[in-house]
């Protein structure tokens, strides 16, 4: 990547002399590399998680239980992005919050590496907390690099940032997955900790290239507010400890006592947060209109992620049990399927970034609503495609690996029309006082989608059945058609945002 850095002039400090990264602000390289290593740690552990949960040498759980834990874990990661954004807005600012988050994630992975089942869920909790602190804020800092919402490089910048995410995500299953599955699960988790350590070092060394706004605390807490937050936090923590102590002492505790409240919270909290922002009387009419338009994108994204994230649970567990995980007679670890999506992202993302910019120059770029429609229809199509390997397995045969690769390919194309565009439109439409928190709201769409999957799993629904897969696929297509039909109304509500 170093060869991509150019200098337009010998004399620093003059207009046009700034170093660039692929034509974008130099700080994008810092955030690109930091996110690449953080995603290496995150996706490496995530590729192992459902397989470790069902493995005889792991926790030896049922597929339904593993899917529930996997979905709830993802739901919690994205749910915690909202308080992560709040923490940056009110306490430390985005830059310092990301540094703290990296340290917590690293400790979490080290905890997962301990060979004790009792510490495993504690490690998951630490990784979830750290990821929540990091997610909203690192994306917000990407937005800070661009001067104004009409900078034509903005969507392209987020797409390049997305390549960093997927470079780490591609390498992680090949390295961490292989060692975890074939050598030792806990060594795999330790490699995830190493990846986060490298990401943290990269961030600390390169943070001087970030925009000055990344160090600003937009609305710092006053002394009385800090005291109130500490009191309320201590109270709720005490209530949780007492409640679960009573449940455990009475001998009625099961994992659902933890999973069900989290999944319900994952569905209710997004609704409550958006409603609270909408009721804020300090927002002017323009901001209120943008928030109304944003609800459409939020619901669409929730449906999209409900299906998309099952690529790491439902589809992965199907592969472990019912697929021929081999190419030309050469067998490969199941976790390697999780590298298919990121390698396709890296191949296709530059094409999409170029295409959006080329169409914009001609005044023909699809609107955000149309891009979301494309994403929903494609993710629905991926699950219609999933019906083929399911049918093969129902007939007593094992499905070819290429069926699963095809599913990931269709989902990847859908992701590129929705996810980086969603990140970008969130930074454009966010009211100033909710800058980091709005990125947390965007991630709550993932929470809502994954919480729905988790709730279905804890209720005993088999997500690898033809009926439920067909229903989910149809839901995505119907949602896409609905967004397309109301695209003009949504565009009008967005005001000057394009």
């Amino acid at each position: 990547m170093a060869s991509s850095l150019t200098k337009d002039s010998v004399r620093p400090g003059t207009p046009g002399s700034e170093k660039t990264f692929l034509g974008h602000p130099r700080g994008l390289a810092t955030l690109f590399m930091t996110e690449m290593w953080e995603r290496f740690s995150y996706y490496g552990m995530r590729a192992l998680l459902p397989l470790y949960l069902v493995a005889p040498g792991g926790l030896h759980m049922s597929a339904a239980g593993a899917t529930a834990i996997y979905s709830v874990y993802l739901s919690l990661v994205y749910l915690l992005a909202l308080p992560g954004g709040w923490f940056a807005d009110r306490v430390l600012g985005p830059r310092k919050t990301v540094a703290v988050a990296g340290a917590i994630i690293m400790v979490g992975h080290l905890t997962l590496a301990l060979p004790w089942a009792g510490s495993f869920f504690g490690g998951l909790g630490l990784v979830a907390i750290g990821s929540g602190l990091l997610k909203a804020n690192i994306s917000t800092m990407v937005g800070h690099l661009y001067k104004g919402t009409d900078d034509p490089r903005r969507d392209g910048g987020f797409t390049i940032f997305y390549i960093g995410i997927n470079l780490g995500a591609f390498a992680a299953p090949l390295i961490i997955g292989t060692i975890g599955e074939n050598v030792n699960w806990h060594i795999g988790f330790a490699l995830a900790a190493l990846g986060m350590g490298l990401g943290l070092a990269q961030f600390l060394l390169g943070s001087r290239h970030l925009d000055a706004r990344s160090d600003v605390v937009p609305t710092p807490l006053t002394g009385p507010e800090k005291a109130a937050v500490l009191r309320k936090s201590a109270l709720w923590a005490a209530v949780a400890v007492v409640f679960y102590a009573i449940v455990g002492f009475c001998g009625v505790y099961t994992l659902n006592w933890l999973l069900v409240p989290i999944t319900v919270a994952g569905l209710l909290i997004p609704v409550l947060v958006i409603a609270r922002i909408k009721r804020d009387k300090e927002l002017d009419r323009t901001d209120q209109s943008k928030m109304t338009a944003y609800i459409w994108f939020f619901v669409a994204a929730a449906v999209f992620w409900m299906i998309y994230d099952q690529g790491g649970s439902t589809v992965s567990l199907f592969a472990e049990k019912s697929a021929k995980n081999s190419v030309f007679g050469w067998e490969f670890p199941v976790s390697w399927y999780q590298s298919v999506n990121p390698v396709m992202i890296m191949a296709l993302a530059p094409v999409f970034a170029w295409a959006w910019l080329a169409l914009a120059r001609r005044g023909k770029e699809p609107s955000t609503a149309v891009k979301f429609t494309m994403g929903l229809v494609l993710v629905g199509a991926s699950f219609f495609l999933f019906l083929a390997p399911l049918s093969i397995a129902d007939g007593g045969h094992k499905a070819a690996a290429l069926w699963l690769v095809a599913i990931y390919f269709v989902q990847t194309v859908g992701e590129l029309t929705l996810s980086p565009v969603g990140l970008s439109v969130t930074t454009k439409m966010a009211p100033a006082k909710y800058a980091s928190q709005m990125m947390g709201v965007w991630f709550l769409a993932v929470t809502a989608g994954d919480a729905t999957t988790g709730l279905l799993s804890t209720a005993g629904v088999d997500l690898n059945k033809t009926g439920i897969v067909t229903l989910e696929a149809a839901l995505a297509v119907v949602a896409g058609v609905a967004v397309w039909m109301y695209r003009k109304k949504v565009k009008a509500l967005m005001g000057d945002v394009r």
Side-chain angles (χ1 to χ4, degrees), residues 311-361:
S313 56
T314 304
V315 180
S316 182
L317 291 173
F318 172 85
E320 193 270 337
K321 181 180 179 182
S322 303
K324 297 176 184 176
N325 304 311
S326 62
V327 177
F328 303 118
W330 175 70
E331 293 190 6
F332 55 86
V334 176
S335 58
W336 281 25
Y337 282 111
Q338 302 310 307
S339 287
V340 173
N341 167 264
V343 75
M344 289 179 176
I345 288 282
M346 289 186 288
L348 296 176
V351 177
F352 273 77
W354 170 84
W356 296 147
L357 194 56
L359 288 170
R361 287 170 179 161

Side-chain angles (χ1 to χ4, degrees), residues 42 59 100 114 118 167-168 175-176 181 204 211 258 266 283 317 319 366 384 406 416 422 425 430 462-463:
Y42 176 80
L59 297 187
V100 171
L114 298 175
L167 186 61
I175 300 172
I176 295 175
E181 284 191 68
L204 295 174
D211 189 270
L258 182 62
L283 299 184
L317 291 173
F384 279 126
L416 282 169
V425 80
D462 187 347
L463 297 175

Side-chain angles (χ1 to χ4, degrees), residues 196-403:
M196 187 64 255
L198 292 172
L200 180 59
Q202 155 66 26
F203 181 77
L204 295 174
L205 290 172
S207 60
R208 66 185 184 278
H209 299 296
L210 302 178
D211 189 270
R213 288 175 292 173
S214 298
D215 240 353
V216 174
V217 181
T219 52
L221 289 172
T222 63
E225 285 177 328
K226 288 181 182 178
V229 168
L230 289 173
R231 282 197 305 270
K232 291 178 181 179
S233 300
L235 175 62
W236 283 109
V239 168
V241 169
V242 170
F243 174 78
Y244 284 103
I246 292 172
V247 171
F249 181 77
C250 294
V252 296
Y253 177 81
T254 66
L255 198 56
N256 281 352
W257 280 98
L258 182 62
L259 299 183
V260 172
I262 293 175
T263 52
V264 171
L267 291 171
L268 291 180
I269 289 176
V271 176
L272 295 175
V273 168
I274 292 177
R276 180 177 64 82
I277 295 176
K278 282 285 295 175
R279 290 196 307 268
D280 190 337
K281 298 187 183 303
E282 292 184 12
L283 299 184
D284 59 25
R285 183 175 297 179
T286 300
D287 282 336
Q288 288 287 355
S289 177
K290 290 177 182 178
M291 285 304 304
T292 301
Y294 191 77
I295 292 172
W296 283 85
F297 299 129
F298 181 90
V299 174
V303 175
F304 178 90
W305 294 115
M306 178 185 71
I307 295 175
Y308 177 90
D309 274 345
Q310 289 184 59
S313 56
T314 304
V315 180
S316 182
L317 291 173
F318 172 85
E320 193 270 337
K321 181 180 179 182
S322 303
K324 297 176 184 176
N325 304 311
S326 62
V327 177
F328 303 118
W330 175 70
E331 293 190 6
F332 55 86
V334 176
S335 58
W336 281 25
Y337 282 111
Q338 302 310 307
S339 287
V340 173
N341 167 264
V343 75
M344 289 179 176
I345 288 282
M346 289 186 288
L348 296 176
V351 177
F352 273 77
W354 170 84
W356 296 147
L357 194 56
L359 288 170
R361 287 170 179 161
R362 294 170 174 80
K364 295 181 179 180
E365 183 181 8
S367 67
T368 300
V370 172
K371 291 176 183 177
F372 268 64
T373 294
M374 295 164 63
L376 284 167
V377 171
L378 285 166
V379 82
S382 76
F383 259 35
F384 279 126
L385 186 61
F386 190 22
L387 295 174
L390 284 173
S391 177
I392 293 170
D394 286 342
H397 304 285
K398 290 204 169 187
L402 287 179
W403 281 113

